[in-house]
Amino acid sequence: MAPKHQTKVAVLGLGYIGLPTAAVVARSGAAVLGIDIHQTVVDTVNSGGVHIEEVDLDALVQGVVQRGLLRASTQIERSDVFLIAVPTPCDDDHAPDISHVLAAARSIAPVLKIGDVVILESTSPVGTTEQVRDALEVLRPDLKFPHAGNGAAEIAVAYCPERVLPGRILVELIDNDRCIGGITPRCARKALAFYRTFVRGACVTTTARVAEMVKLSENAFRDVNIAFANELSIVADTMGLDVWEVIKLANRHPRVNILTPGPGVGGHCIAVDPWFIVSAAPEQTPLIRTAREVNDKKIHHVIARATALIEANPGVPVACLGLAFKANIDDFRESPARLVAATLARKYGSRIRIVEPYAAQLPREFEGTGASPIDLDAALEDCGVLIVLVDHDVFKSVPLAERSRHAVYDTRGIWPDQPGQVEQVGLRLVG
Ligand code: SAJ
């Protein structure tokens, strides 16, 4: 019997999505080539290492590299499936920048052959997958590309958004349902066959444009819901109410599920993606835009409350707990905690100490402020003011006995038993 053809998969972009995806696809038996423009990333992966922190990723990458199933390069090679997972940032006016996606697509063009499947996973404005097709079509007029209504293209082009939650990426890559949008139904079916090789969740096919909008809707939905929680927390502050108690009791209603207030919304997804919808339909999106603004405004509210607490405790050292954009990860991109802590560091200098178990050193904006890193035990010992900015498990586990004599501002609600939080701070601080 002839040996089974081993599918060759090229993953373009070895970031938070691309590298775990490449490793999971490799584990399923495909020969995976990871492409990245950074030589250091390529070298790290080829040595079996990882440049990002994600639960269990190091062991998985080491295993598939050792077995020869995953290797990395800066140069594209002929493959059967091309998966694009590069960043799609926003510019200063909140307009999406798809230049990395189009550059990745153009890099594929020289090696494309009949039967290949090109899949875009990057969060993208509606219509981007068609632009990928158009970019390839210009460079490869010898190949037949899919257009609505022409079933018999030689290349399949599809969109399949990633949906994984940092911290649970390897689990969710396998277990989450996937929404696979083809430029034509045939494209969707080709992409579906690829995802079935490693996804256990249901794989549902649709059009590329619907799949693009599905992804944006998911993150805008979460942003709007977090904005509701953050707005409630600002209202509760002005009324002198404990927002955590209000939410806990409201959530006993069978159809109410209010999310958790925090210092604002961070990360590279939820704080960015809703703008892709707003920018495409500015007149029709007052709610989505306002949610973005409410979540951004929460950061300034937190800075004002923290400032009031610090001023009320003159000369007392202050510990900011956490810099990451959310709990238990080492990702500091678009992090409200980082912004709050850096603002306080610029204002109060050496009084500010930073506890961040996930950072080897403080980010650059802390240089010259006088603020210093400190471990949790020393912070509890030395700092009379504690400002909780991230709900890392290690912070949650600090018992009341170790923090009862401190003045605390807990932006994440991790210490519900902390006495006097509502009374401690100025209550008329809004925005
Ligand atoms: N946050 C709150 N309150 C909450 C929930 C979150 O303040 O109740 C904050 C977090 O602290 C963080 C930000 O929101 O700063 C975003 O965190 P997140 O856990 O909601 O989401 P991400 O950015 O880690 O991942 C999201 C997920 N999308 C949805 O849940 C709809 C994930 O499934 C996506 O794959 C990811 O965006 C992405 O890559 O788009």
Side-chain angles (χ1 to χ4, degrees):
M1 204 168 70
K4 194 170 157 279
H5 170 72
Q6 188 186 28
T7 307
K8 287 190 181 142
V9 179
V11 177
L12 290 94
L14 292 178
Y16 280 85
I17 301 303
L19 181 56
T21 304
V24 165
V25 173
R27 185 176 57 193
S28 75
V32 180
L33 174 68
I35 306 290
D36 204 282
I37 54 171
H38 299 292
Q39 187 66 47
T40 50
V41 171
V42 166
D43 293 343
T44 304
V45 172
N46 280 333
S47 70
V50 293
H51 62 292
I52 52 175
E53 188 78 25
E54 176 59 35
V55 178
D56 296 337
L57 183 63
D58 44 359
L60 177 61
V61 168
Q62 193 183 36
V64 287
V65 169
Q66 264 169 10
R67 288 163 60 203
L69 292 167
L70 171 65
R71 66 197 167 84
S73 172
T74 57
Q75 301 300 316
I76 193 79
E77 291 174 17
R78 279 164 77 94
S79 302
D80 305 309
V81 177
F82 296 87
L83 203 149
I84 301 175
V86 297
T88 44
C90 266
D91 67 16
D92 291 343
D93 298 325
H94 304 304
D97 170 7
I98 61 164
S99 59
H100 301 297
V101 168
L102 295 179
R106 291 190 190 104
S107 76
I108 295 169
V111 298
L112 266 189
K113 61 181 187 324
I114 292 174
D116 285 353
V117 184
V118 178
I119 302 168
L120 176 61
E121 282 212 4
S122 311
T123 304
S124 298
V126 174
T128 306
T129 311
E130 289 162 349
Q131 291 196 48
V132 165
R133 184 258 336 262
D134 295 345
L136 291 168
E137 197 165 38
V138 166
L139 294 169
R140 291 298 302 271
D142 56 313
L143 290 170
K144 200 165 165 204
F145 285 87
H147 287 264
N150 83 339
E154 293 166 331
I155 304 291
V157 183
Y159 182 73
C160 179
E162 58 80 16
R163 297 177 145 160
V164 291
L165 201 68
R168 286 180 44 82
I169 292 180
L170 293 183
V171 175
E172 294 204 358
L173 266 176
I174 308 287
D175 287 343
N176 287 2
D177 292 355
R178 299 299 291 247
C179 167
I180 301 168
I183 289 203
T184 63
R186 187 179 285 206
C187 295
R189 288 196 296 274
K190 293 268 282 187
L192 174 69
F194 166 66
Y195 283 100
R196 282 237 168 96
T197 61
F198 66 97
V199 172
R200 234 182 346 233
C203 295
V204 181
T205 56
T206 179
T207 65
R209 292 174 75 85
V210 165
E212 288 161 344
M213 190 60 184
V214 165
K215 171 66 189 183
L216 300 180
S217 306
E218 290 167 0
N219 281 356
F221 172 86
R222 193 148 170 89
D223 199 41
V224 168
N225 282 278
I226 298 170
F228 181 78
N230 277 334
E231 187 162 291
L232 271 190
S233 74
I234 295 173
V235 171
D237 280 352
T238 65
M239 294 179 174
L241 296 171
D242 178 347
V243 71
W244 311 105
E245 188 181 8
V246 171
I247 290 175
K248 194 173 74 189
L249 296 180
N251 282 348
R252 296 180 78 98
H253 184 291
R255 284 171 296 285
V256 172
N257 183 16
I258 302 171
L259 294 182
T260 316
V265 168
H268 41 290
C269 306
I270 295 191
V272 176
D273 304 348
W275 288 117
F276 291 13
I277 305 180
V278 174
S279 135
E283 299 298 318
Q284 290 75 31
T285 46
L287 176 67
I288 298 173
R289 171 192 287 275
T290 303
R292 266 296 61 245
E293 288 166 355
V294 167
N295 284 330
D296 282 345
K297 190 171 142 193
K298 181 66 195 287
I299 300 174
H300 301 288
H301 177 80
V302 167
I303 291 170
R305 266 195 70 167
T307 301
L309 185 60
I310 294 169
E311 298 284 342
N313 293 272
V316 177
V318 177
C320 292
L321 304 192
L323 292 179
F325 89 83
K326 61 186 241 181
N328 306 326
I329 59 169
D330 72 337
D331 191 337
F332 305 99
R333 291 177 291 176
E334 316 278 334
S335 170
R338 180 174 165 177
L339 191 68
V340 171
T343 305
L344 298 176
R346 277 193 297 276
K347 201 162 176 184
Y348 296 105
S350 60
R351 268 182 79 188
I352 304 294
R353 319 281 158 81
I354 310 291
V355 187
E356 181 43 273
Y358 289 87
Q361 59 202 36
L362 293 184
R364 218 173 317 152
E365 65 267 29
F366 288 88
E367 273 170 27
T369 60
S372 51
I374 190 173
D375 72 28
L376 181 58
D377 291 349
L380 292 167
E381 199 63 37
D382 301 347
C383 300
V385 175
L386 305 177
I387 300 173
V388 178
L389 297 171
V390 185
D391 43 345
H392 290 319
D393 287 346
V394 63
F395 300 156
K396 282 189 193 167
S397 66
V398 176
L400 179 59
E402 285 194 74
R403 51 182 158 80
S404 55
R405 59 183 179 82
H406 300 76
V408 172
Y409 174 25
D410 174 6
T411 72
R412 297 279 187 175
I414 62 169
W415 294 334
D417 54 356
Q418 187 72 33
Q421 277 225 75
V422 175
E423 300 81 2
Q424 250 169 19
V425 292
L427 296 175
R428 274 172 297 282
L429 291 164
V430 191

